[in-house]
Amino acid sequence: MWKFDDKLAGRRFAEELGLRVPELYAVGSLEECVAEARRRGMAVIKPLQRHSSQGVVALTSRGENFYDHIRRKQVPASQLQDYVRSCQVAHEDVLIAEEVIFRPESSGMLSTEWKLYRFGGQVGLMVQGDRASDDRGRRIFQFRLRDFSPVKAP
């Protein structure tokens, strides 16, 4: 397992670099994390030890329902716990619930996600993943080198 599949270790690493991290609402069971989403009206709920967005839901309340920004669907509040459970890879996973961060320049769009890949102890490649998608529904990715310059296709 890669060290930063552990979301809490990744949070500590980002904090040490001085990066803004989402407020941590809960670490524990599915029931605890869903309760925090209900109480706060929003939460990103994800497995503590997974990667590649497996099991991630980004929920905001909308009237009597919640909206999952990842799967782009309305979820009745009465079915929220079952819905989050259905999105999980393994039901025994410990989950975390944290603040939903939106882009400052837009209303309702999730922030851009960055993943850094290290080679020989140095960042060699960065992937900027956009939760928005193109006109065919595919996620948009940009690949960048250590100096943030774009990777050119051959």
Side-chain angles (χ1 to χ4, degrees):
M1 172 176 51
W2 185 56
K3 181 177 181 180
F4 294 118
D5 281 351
D6 178 340
K7 302 301 185 287
L8 296 179
R11 289 176 62 84
R12 285 189 297 275
F13 177 72
E15 287 172 333
E16 288 170 7
L17 292 174
L19 300 174
R20 183 204 188 298
V21 296
E23 181 183 345
L24 184 62
Y25 297 157
V27 177
S29 69
L30 180 134
E31 294 78 13
E32 292 170 303
C33 291
V34 169
E36 281 299 314
R38 288 182 195 279
R39 187 171 80 76
R40 296 171 183 270
M42 67 171 60
V44 173
I45 299 175
K46 56 188 170 185
L48 182 61
Q49 293 287 338
R50 299 276 171 195
H51 55 84
S52 302
S53 299
Q54 296 176 55
V56 176
V57 294
L59 304 165
T60 54
S61 63
R62 292 196 175 168
E64 297 296 313
N65 298 317
F66 278 81
Y67 182 74
D68 180 359
H69 294 264
I70 305 294
R71 291 164 189 79
R72 297 183 181 156
K73 33 184 344 184
Q74 293 283 343
V75 181
S78 62
Q79 297 173 15
L80 190 59
Q81 190 164 305
D82 289 336
Y83 175 76
V84 174
R85 182 176 286 113
S86 73
C87 295
Q88 299 311 304
V89 175
H91 297 294
E92 68 276 1
D93 280 348
V94 173
L95 302 177
I96 68 171
E98 61 188 14
E99 171 189 14
V100 178
I101 299 178
F102 295 101
R103 292 182 198 185
E105 74 278 0
S106 70
S107 58
M109 291 199 61
L110 295 178
S111 63
T112 302
E113 171 184 27
W114 286 86
K115 297 201 181 217
L116 285 65
Y117 296 90
R118 293 173 47 152
F119 305 96
Q122 293 187 352
V123 172
L125 177 70
M126 295 177 284
V127 179
Q128 180 183 4
D130 199 330
R131 294 277 182 207
S133 53
D134 66 11
D135 57 354
R136 294 185 354 194
R138 299 174 300 187
R139 276 191 68 193
I140 300 167
F141 292 96
Q142 294 181 16
F143 297 87
R144 299 185 179 278
L145 299 174
R146 164 182 20 209
D147 64 359
F148 287 90
S149 63
V151 173
K152 306 274 189 223

